[in-house]
Short mmCIF file of all heavy atoms in Angstrom, two decimals:
data_model
loop_
_atom_site.label_atom_id
_atom_site.label_comp_id
_atom_site.label_asym_id
_atom_site.label_seq_id
_atom_site.Cartn_x
_atom_site.Cartn_y
_atom_site.Cartn_z
N ALA A 513 0.82 -1.21 0.00
CA ALA A 513 0.00 0.00 0.00
C ALA A 513 0.86 1.26 0.00
O ALA A 513 0.63 2.19 -0.78
CB ALA A 513 -0.93 -0.01 1.21
N VAL A 514 1.85 1.30 0.87
CA VAL A 514 2.70 2.49 0.99
C VAL A 514 3.52 2.72 -0.28
O VAL A 514 3.57 3.82 -0.83
CB VAL A 514 3.63 2.37 2.22
CG1 VAL A 514 4.66 3.48 2.23
CG2 VAL A 514 2.81 2.40 3.50
N ILE A 515 4.17 1.65 -0.78
CA ILE A 515 5.06 1.79 -1.94
C ILE A 515 4.29 2.23 -3.18
O ILE A 515 4.67 3.18 -3.88
CB ILE A 515 5.81 0.47 -2.20
CG1 ILE A 515 6.80 0.20 -1.05
CG2 ILE A 515 6.56 0.52 -3.53
CD1 ILE A 515 7.41 -1.19 -1.08
N PHE A 516 3.20 1.53 -3.48
CA PHE A 516 2.48 1.84 -4.72
C PHE A 516 1.68 3.13 -4.63
O PHE A 516 1.42 3.76 -5.65
CB PHE A 516 1.58 0.67 -5.10
CG PHE A 516 2.31 -0.47 -5.76
CD1 PHE A 516 2.93 -1.45 -5.01
CD2 PHE A 516 2.41 -0.53 -7.14
CE1 PHE A 516 3.63 -2.48 -5.61
CE2 PHE A 516 3.10 -1.56 -7.76
CZ PHE A 516 3.72 -2.54 -7.00
N THR A 517 1.30 3.55 -3.41
CA THR A 517 0.64 4.85 -3.27
C THR A 517 1.65 5.98 -3.43
O THR A 517 1.40 6.97 -4.13
CB THR A 517 -0.06 4.97 -1.91
OG1 THR A 517 -1.05 3.95 -1.79
CG2 THR A 517 -0.73 6.33 -1.75
N ALA A 518 2.81 5.81 -2.80
CA ALA A 518 3.85 6.85 -2.85
C ALA A 518 4.39 7.04 -4.26
O ALA A 518 4.75 8.16 -4.65
CB ALA A 518 4.97 6.50 -1.89
N LEU A 519 4.47 5.95 -5.02
CA LEU A 519 5.05 6.02 -6.36
C LEU A 519 3.98 5.99 -7.45
O LEU A 519 4.27 5.72 -8.61
CB LEU A 519 6.02 4.85 -6.56
CG LEU A 519 7.21 4.80 -5.59
CD1 LEU A 519 8.09 3.59 -5.88
CD2 LEU A 519 8.03 6.08 -5.68
N GLY A 520 2.73 6.27 -7.06
CA GLY A 520 1.64 6.29 -8.02
C GLY A 520 1.58 7.58 -8.81
O GLY A 520 2.37 8.51 -8.57
N PRO A 521 0.67 7.67 -9.75
CA PRO A 521 0.55 8.88 -10.59
C PRO A 521 0.09 10.09 -9.78
O PRO A 521 -0.68 9.96 -8.83
CB PRO A 521 -0.50 8.47 -11.63
CG PRO A 521 -1.28 7.37 -10.98
CD PRO A 521 -0.31 6.64 -10.11
N GLY A 522 0.58 11.25 -10.17
CA GLY A 522 0.16 12.50 -9.54
C GLY A 522 0.82 12.81 -8.21
O GLY A 522 0.43 13.75 -7.52
N VAL A 523 1.83 12.02 -7.82
CA VAL A 523 2.50 12.24 -6.54
C VAL A 523 3.85 12.91 -6.80
O VAL A 523 4.59 12.55 -7.72
CB VAL A 523 2.72 10.91 -5.80
CG1 VAL A 523 3.43 11.15 -4.48
CG2 VAL A 523 1.38 10.22 -5.56
N SER A 524 4.18 13.91 -6.00
CA SER A 524 5.46 14.60 -6.13
C SER A 524 6.03 14.86 -4.74
O SER A 524 5.59 14.27 -3.76
CB SER A 524 5.27 15.92 -6.90
OG SER A 524 4.31 16.74 -6.26
N ASN A 525 7.02 15.73 -4.65
CA ASN A 525 7.65 16.06 -3.36
C ASN A 525 8.20 14.82 -2.66
O ASN A 525 7.97 14.60 -1.47
CB ASN A 525 6.67 16.79 -2.42
CG ASN A 525 6.66 18.28 -2.65
OD1 ASN A 525 7.66 18.85 -3.12
ND2 ASN A 525 5.55 18.91 -2.35
N TYR A 526 8.92 13.99 -3.42
CA TYR A 526 9.42 12.73 -2.86
C TYR A 526 10.40 12.96 -1.71
O TYR A 526 10.45 12.19 -0.76
CB TYR A 526 10.09 11.90 -3.97
CG TYR A 526 9.11 11.37 -4.98
CD1 TYR A 526 9.06 11.89 -6.27
CD2 TYR A 526 8.19 10.39 -4.63
CE1 TYR A 526 8.14 11.43 -7.20
CE2 TYR A 526 7.27 9.91 -5.55
CZ TYR A 526 7.24 10.43 -6.83
OH TYR A 526 6.34 9.98 -7.74
N GLY A 527 11.20 14.03 -1.81
CA GLY A 527 12.17 14.31 -0.74
C GLY A 527 11.48 14.56 0.59
O GLY A 527 11.85 13.99 1.62
N LEU A 528 10.44 15.42 0.56
CA LEU A 528 9.70 15.73 1.79
C LEU A 528 8.98 14.48 2.30
O LEU A 528 8.97 14.19 3.51
CB LEU A 528 8.69 16.84 1.50
CG LEU A 528 7.81 17.28 2.67
CD1 LEU A 528 8.65 17.80 3.82
CD2 LEU A 528 6.80 18.33 2.22
N MET A 529 8.39 13.71 1.37
CA MET A 529 7.67 12.50 1.77
C MET A 529 8.61 11.49 2.43
O MET A 529 8.30 10.91 3.46
CB MET A 529 7.01 11.85 0.55
CG MET A 529 6.08 10.70 0.90
SD MET A 529 5.65 9.70 -0.55
CE MET A 529 5.16 10.95 -1.70
N LEU A 530 9.79 11.29 1.81
CA LEU A 530 10.76 10.34 2.36
C LEU A 530 11.21 10.77 3.75
O LEU A 530 11.34 9.94 4.66
CB LEU A 530 11.96 10.21 1.42
CG LEU A 530 13.04 9.23 1.85
CD1 LEU A 530 12.48 7.82 1.95
CD2 LEU A 530 14.22 9.27 0.87
N ALA A 531 11.44 12.08 3.92
CA ALA A 531 11.86 12.58 5.23
C ALA A 531 10.79 12.31 6.29
O ALA A 531 11.10 11.87 7.41
CB ALA A 531 12.15 14.08 5.14
N MET A 532 9.52 12.54 5.92
CA MET A 532 8.42 12.29 6.86
C MET A 532 8.32 10.81 7.21
O MET A 532 8.11 10.44 8.37
CB MET A 532 7.10 12.76 6.24
CG MET A 532 6.98 14.26 6.10
SD MET A 532 6.87 15.06 7.71
CE MET A 532 6.50 16.74 7.21
N VAL A 533 8.47 9.95 6.19
CA VAL A 533 8.38 8.50 6.42
C VAL A 533 9.50 8.05 7.35
O VAL A 533 9.28 7.27 8.28
CB VAL A 533 8.45 7.73 5.09
CG1 VAL A 533 8.64 6.23 5.34
CG2 VAL A 533 7.18 7.96 4.28
N LEU A 534 10.72 8.55 7.13
CA LEU A 534 11.86 8.15 7.97
C LEU A 534 11.67 8.62 9.41
O LEU A 534 11.96 7.88 10.36
CB LEU A 534 13.16 8.70 7.38
CG LEU A 534 13.61 8.07 6.05
CD1 LEU A 534 14.85 8.78 5.52
CD2 LEU A 534 13.87 6.58 6.24
N VAL A 535 11.19 9.86 9.57
CA VAL A 535 10.96 10.38 10.92
C VAL A 535 9.88 9.56 11.62
O VAL A 535 10.03 9.15 12.78
CB VAL A 535 10.56 11.87 10.87
CG1 VAL A 535 10.08 12.34 12.24
CG2 VAL A 535 11.73 12.73 10.42
N GLY A 536 8.78 9.31 10.91
CA GLY A 536 7.70 8.52 11.49
C GLY A 536 8.15 7.11 11.85
O GLY A 536 7.80 6.57 12.91
N ALA A 537 8.93 6.48 10.95
CA ALA A 537 9.42 5.13 11.20
C ALA A 537 10.35 5.10 12.41
O ALA A 537 10.31 4.16 13.22
CB ALA A 537 10.15 4.60 9.96
N ALA A 538 11.18 6.11 12.54
CA ALA A 538 12.11 6.18 13.67
C ALA A 538 11.34 6.31 14.98
O ALA A 538 11.62 5.61 15.97
CB ALA A 538 13.07 7.35 13.50
N ILE A 539 10.35 7.20 15.00
CA ILE A 539 9.54 7.38 16.21
C ILE A 539 8.79 6.09 16.54
O ILE A 539 8.75 5.65 17.70
CB ILE A 539 8.54 8.54 16.03
CG1 ILE A 539 9.29 9.87 15.90
CG2 ILE A 539 7.57 8.61 17.19
CD1 ILE A 539 8.40 11.04 15.51
N GLY A 540 8.19 5.47 15.52
CA GLY A 540 7.46 4.23 15.74
C GLY A 540 8.34 3.12 16.29
O GLY A 540 7.93 2.37 17.18
N THR A 541 9.55 3.02 15.76
CA THR A 541 10.48 1.98 16.23
C THR A 541 10.85 2.19 17.70
O THR A 541 10.85 1.24 18.50
CB THR A 541 11.76 1.98 15.37
OG1 THR A 541 11.41 1.75 14.01
CG2 THR A 541 12.73 0.89 15.83
N VAL A 542 11.16 3.43 18.05
CA VAL A 542 11.53 3.74 19.44
C VAL A 542 10.36 3.45 20.38
O VAL A 542 10.54 2.81 21.43
CB VAL A 542 11.97 5.22 19.57
CG1 VAL A 542 12.14 5.60 21.04
CG2 VAL A 542 13.27 5.46 18.81
N VAL A 543 9.17 3.89 20.00
CA VAL A 543 7.99 3.67 20.84
C VAL A 543 7.71 2.19 21.01
O VAL A 543 7.45 1.70 22.12
CB VAL A 543 6.76 4.39 20.25
CG1 VAL A 543 5.48 3.97 20.97
CG2 VAL A 543 6.92 5.90 20.34
N ALA A 544 7.77 1.44 19.90
CA ALA A 544 7.47 0.00 19.95
C ALA A 544 8.45 -0.75 20.84
O ALA A 544 8.08 -1.71 21.52
CB ALA A 544 7.49 -0.58 18.54
N ARG A 545 9.71 -0.33 20.84
CA ARG A 545 10.71 -1.00 21.67
C ARG A 545 10.56 -0.65 23.15
O ARG A 545 10.88 -1.45 24.02
CB ARG A 545 12.12 -0.63 21.20
CG ARG A 545 12.49 -1.26 19.86
CD ARG A 545 13.94 -0.95 19.48
NE ARG A 545 14.32 -1.60 18.25
CZ ARG A 545 14.75 -2.86 18.16
NH1 ARG A 545 14.83 -3.59 19.26
NH2 ARG A 545 15.08 -3.39 17.00
N ARG A 546 10.06 0.53 23.42
CA ARG A 546 9.94 0.97 24.81
C ARG A 546 8.66 0.51 25.49
O ARG A 546 8.62 0.31 26.69
CB ARG A 546 10.02 2.51 24.88
CG ARG A 546 11.41 3.07 24.61
CD ARG A 546 11.41 4.58 24.77
NE ARG A 546 12.74 5.15 24.56
CZ ARG A 546 13.01 6.44 24.60
NH1 ARG A 546 12.03 7.31 24.85
NH2 ARG A 546 14.24 6.88 24.40
N VAL A 547 7.60 0.36 24.71
CA VAL A 547 6.30 0.05 25.28
C VAL A 547 6.24 -1.42 25.68
O VAL A 547 6.53 -2.32 24.88
CB VAL A 547 5.18 0.36 24.27
CG1 VAL A 547 3.84 -0.18 24.76
CG2 VAL A 547 5.08 1.85 24.04
N GLU A 548 5.88 -1.67 26.94
CA GLU A 548 5.70 -3.04 27.41
C GLU A 548 4.35 -3.58 26.93
O GLU A 548 3.45 -2.81 26.59
CB GLU A 548 5.74 -3.07 28.95
CG GLU A 548 7.03 -2.53 29.56
CD GLU A 548 8.20 -3.49 29.39
OE1 GLU A 548 7.95 -4.65 29.05
OE2 GLU A 548 9.35 -3.06 29.58
N MET A 549 4.22 -4.90 26.95
CA MET A 549 2.94 -5.50 26.55
C MET A 549 1.80 -5.02 27.44
O MET A 549 0.66 -4.93 27.00
CB MET A 549 3.04 -7.02 26.60
CG MET A 549 3.86 -7.64 25.48
SD MET A 549 3.32 -7.14 23.83
CE MET A 549 1.62 -7.66 23.84
N THR A 550 2.12 -4.71 28.70
CA THR A 550 1.08 -4.22 29.61
C THR A 550 0.57 -2.85 29.20
O THR A 550 -0.52 -2.44 29.61
CB THR A 550 1.63 -4.14 31.05
OG1 THR A 550 2.84 -3.37 31.04
CG2 THR A 550 1.93 -5.53 31.58
N GLN A 551 1.36 -2.11 28.41
CA GLN A 551 0.97 -0.77 27.99
C GLN A 551 0.36 -0.75 26.59
O GLN A 551 0.06 0.31 26.06
CB GLN A 551 2.21 0.14 28.01
CG GLN A 551 2.85 0.28 29.39
CD GLN A 551 4.19 0.99 29.33
OE1 GLN A 551 5.03 0.71 28.47
NE2 GLN A 551 4.41 1.94 30.23
N MET A 552 0.16 -1.93 26.02
CA MET A 552 -0.35 -2.00 24.65
C MET A 552 -1.73 -1.36 24.49
O MET A 552 -1.99 -0.70 23.47
CB MET A 552 -0.38 -3.46 24.20
CG MET A 552 -0.45 -3.63 22.68
SD MET A 552 0.89 -2.79 21.80
CE MET A 552 2.32 -3.63 22.46
N PRO A 553 -2.66 -1.52 25.43
CA PRO A 553 -3.98 -0.88 25.25
C PRO A 553 -3.90 0.63 25.07
O PRO A 553 -4.54 1.19 24.18
CB PRO A 553 -4.73 -1.25 26.54
CG PRO A 553 -4.09 -2.52 26.98
CD PRO A 553 -2.64 -2.38 26.63
N GLN A 554 -3.09 1.30 25.91
CA GLN A 554 -2.99 2.76 25.76
C GLN A 554 -2.26 3.14 24.48
O GLN A 554 -2.55 4.19 23.88
CB GLN A 554 -2.34 3.42 26.98
CG GLN A 554 -1.08 2.80 27.49
CD GLN A 554 -1.33 1.90 28.67
OE1 GLN A 554 -2.22 1.05 28.61
NE2 GLN A 554 -0.56 2.06 29.74
N LEU A 555 -1.32 2.30 24.03
CA LEU A 555 -0.65 2.58 22.75
C LEU A 555 -1.65 2.49 21.60
O LEU A 555 -1.65 3.34 20.70
CB LEU A 555 0.50 1.60 22.53
CG LEU A 555 1.22 1.74 21.17
CD1 LEU A 555 1.88 3.11 21.06
CD2 LEU A 555 2.25 0.64 20.99
N VAL A 556 -2.51 1.48 21.63
CA VAL A 556 -3.53 1.34 20.59
C VAL A 556 -4.45 2.56 20.58
O VAL A 556 -4.77 3.10 19.51
CB VAL A 556 -4.34 0.04 20.81
CG1 VAL A 556 -5.55 -0.01 19.88
CG2 VAL A 556 -3.46 -1.18 20.58
N ALA A 557 -4.85 3.00 21.76
CA ALA A 557 -5.70 4.20 21.85
C ALA A 557 -5.00 5.42 21.28
O ALA A 557 -5.61 6.22 20.55
CB ALA A 557 -6.10 4.45 23.30
N ALA A 558 -3.70 5.56 21.57
CA ALA A 558 -2.94 6.71 21.06
C ALA A 558 -2.85 6.67 19.54
O ALA A 558 -2.97 7.70 18.86
CB ALA A 558 -1.55 6.73 21.68
N LEU A 559 -2.63 5.48 18.98
CA LEU A 559 -2.53 5.35 17.52
C LEU A 559 -3.85 5.67 16.83
O LEU A 559 -3.86 6.22 15.73
CB LEU A 559 -2.05 3.94 17.16
CG LEU A 559 -0.62 3.60 17.60
CD1 LEU A 559 -0.28 2.16 17.26
CD2 LEU A 559 0.40 4.54 16.94
#
């Protein structure tokens, strides 16, 4: 979904998009590693 939407027709600003994706992925990775299974319900609510 992400790859074919990002590289589909009518899409531009790839540099800005890539930067946003990398920042979001980095934040998501850090959060996922820090959150315990006991905190999963509140993480789901936040998402």
